[in-house]
Amino acid sequence: MSRSAHPAGPRHADVLPEGHYSAPADDLNALDPKVWAHTVGRDADGVVTVGGIAVTQLAEEYGTPAYILDEADFRDRARAWRTAFGNDADVFYAGKAFLSRAVVRWLHEEGLNLDVCSAGELATALSAGMPAERIAFHGNNKSPEEIERAVRAGVGRIVIDSFQEIVRVAHIAQSLGRRQPVQIRITVGVEAHTHEFIATAHEDQKFGIPLAGGQAAEAVRRALQLDGLEVIGIHSHIGSQIFDMSGFEVAAHRVVGLLKDIRDEHGVELPEIDLGGGLGIAYTSADDPREPHEIAKALTEIVTRECESARLRTPRISVEPGRAIVGPTAFTLYEVGTVKPLDGLRTYVSVDGGMSDNIRTALYDAEYSVALVSRTSDAEPMLVRVVGKHCESGDIVVKDAFLPGDLAPGDLVAVAATGAYCRSMASNYNHALRPPVVAVRDGAARVIVRRETEDDLLRLDVG
Ligand SMILES: *Cc1c(COP(=O)(O)O)cnc(C)c1O
């Protein structure tokens, strides 16, 4: 997180307001490879290119705003996770971060599995040919219809989130003549976000069954008795945008403790544990994410050590990265519409999208990096707030950033690392048309999710 006050003076503001920003980078034209997709660079004219294509060309062909996704980068990251965890573990991509049929095919080809959490995500996965046994179904309130579809499809696991669901899934599976593999999702008393993890107030949330008070053990006890269920493991997901492995350490310790109790009580060693997702990415240069191989090594060591001391066979580990795979692979391309300097404050830069294509800033106070991408500039940096075009003053895309002082309407800017939780959380607020996702690779671009049209909007309006 960038948290330093009063950077060196940009010309547009004599007095800089308090804010959460670092000093401007030495060179505003530079693109930090930590933050931008792998193939992002600038051509000889200073225009940013990705997958070998200039953003000016992408804007002309596909319009703005648009999410531009670097397919090679996505495949690289997916493969890095797969390779890091090896054949004794499974990597489930969390589809809620961003899901489309092209993405499902890439994951399938790269050997990853897939988490879904709704009938819509399940339909997308199945329609793109993801084998059902490689799909896990999540959610704290799956409808009976969703459960039935998942069981009928033959999903590899349903992750059970409540006592009611134990009975519900068992009943549906049994009535279909199936024995459904399930994991029980527990809350281990750790909640991790970004740099810190909190070991109190963690069980006060809607997901999972608390380990505390013996509830998780009771859930396993009940599930083991039901013919419709095959209990294959325990699931724990502790948070999001995590950089520090200590939260996982505590979680693994407690999950293994439960496995040991289950072995002692029932004489069964459950074969799997899932440690969830939540691994952080660099939204700004101040963030330092771990590499997949470091994460794999740390998690495997923790689980192996804990199992050895509990004299348990080491279970098969699975993880569920969403953001860490897709987040850094895409940026949002916008055209600047207005530039409004407010004396002594900052300059408001309005782009042609906003909270409808990126709600994270309004929702979580998320930080982002933004750059002028249609040209380079040697102008002095100015402190800006990049805002959208919606009728809402909280419609902020990037709260505090520096852009060149000669920024003007018609310039293209890009906001980095918008691959996760932007298109998937996009809305039609103000009847905005949700932007397309354009995948680029080796000099070729193709639309994988098209831009919405007014016809799309009006089709739903049957009044
Ligand atoms: C959201 C979620 C994930 C993915 O989280 P990221 O922060 O995108 O890695 C994984 N597992 C579960 C159960 C989730 O709810």
Side-chain angles (χ1 to χ4, degrees), residues 92 94 96-97 115 138 159 185 207 235-237 239-242 274 276-280 319-324 420-421:
F92 285 76
K96 70 178 199 259
D115 271 0
H138 279 269
V159 181
R185 177 164 175 178
F207 289 111
H235 182 285
S236 153
H237 171 74
S240 62
Q241 188 60 358
I242 304 165
D274 190 310
L279 287 312
V319 288
E320 306 175 311
R323 186 195 319 271
Y421 305 107

Side-chain angles (χ1 to χ4, degrees), residues 303-362:
V303 173
T304 310
R305 192 185 61 223
E306 294 294 328
C307 287
E308 270 167 15
S309 75
R311 295 206 188 76
L312 282 167
R313 253 195 323 272
T314 305
R316 188 174 178 85
I317 300 173
S318 48
V319 288
E320 306 175 311
R323 186 195 319 271
I325 292 177
V326 72
T329 68
F331 58 79
T332 315
L333 187 61
Y334 298 104
E335 185 177 309
V336 173
T338 68
V339 178
K340 190 185 287 183
L342 299 183
D343 277 347
L345 292 170
R346 70 189 91 239
T347 297
Y348 279 79
V349 173
S350 297
V351 295
D352 50 358
M355 65 192 295
S356 56
D357 58 72
N358 188 346
I359 191 66
R360 292 190 66 258
T361 306

Side-chain angles (χ1 to χ4, degrees), residues 64-236:
T64 53
Y67 304 100
I68 311 294
L69 195 158
D70 182 344
E71 179 182 341
D73 190 11
F74 185 99
R75 286 176 180 274
D76 283 350
R77 289 178 203 266
R79 203 175 307 133
W81 277 86
R82 189 75 205 85
T83 311
F85 278 87
N87 292 329
D88 296 330
D90 295 302
V91 180
F92 285 76
Y93 168 80
K96 70 178 199 259
F98 171 64
L99 197 66
S100 78
R101 289 196 274 193
V103 161
V104 173
R105 284 190 286 269
W106 301 339
L107 293 164
H108 188 190
E109 286 166 18
E110 301 298 342
L112 275 76
N113 297 359
L114 179 65
D115 271 0
V116 299
C117 61
S118 70
E121 289 184 0
L122 179 62
T124 305
L126 293 172
S127 80
M130 180 60 86
E133 64 272 16
R134 284 171 53 183
I135 299 175
F137 201 107
H138 279 269
N140 66 302
N141 187 17
K142 309 167 190 77
S143 70
E145 293 75 22
E146 285 176 317
I147 295 169
E148 182 174 335
R149 276 180 73 179
V151 174
R152 273 188 197 281
V155 298
R157 57 167 90 149
I158 291 179
V159 181
I160 290 195
D161 200 89
S162 65
F163 279 94
Q164 283 92 4
E165 207 167 75
I166 295 172
V167 183
R168 232 171 253 164
V169 175
H171 177 75
I172 290 170
Q174 203 166 12
S175 69
L176 294 170
R178 302 283 183 89
R179 189 145 188 264
Q180 176 62 46
V182 298
Q183 288 189 341
I184 311 279
R185 177 164 175 178
I186 67 167
T187 46
V188 294
V190 174
E191 190 181 342
H193 290 289
T194 313
H195 298 285
E196 90 288 5
F197 77 94
I198 310 158
T200 55
H202 37 269
E203 265 131 8
D204 191 1
Q205 58 147 315
K206 72 170 186 169
F207 289 111
I209 299 173
L211 189 60
Q215 290 200 61
E218 177 59 19
V220 173
R221 200 171 293 133
R222 292 191 197 175
L224 283 172
Q225 284 167 6
L226 297 171
D227 291 337
L229 306 182
E230 179 193 355
V231 183
I232 59 169
I234 301 297
H235 182 285
S236 153

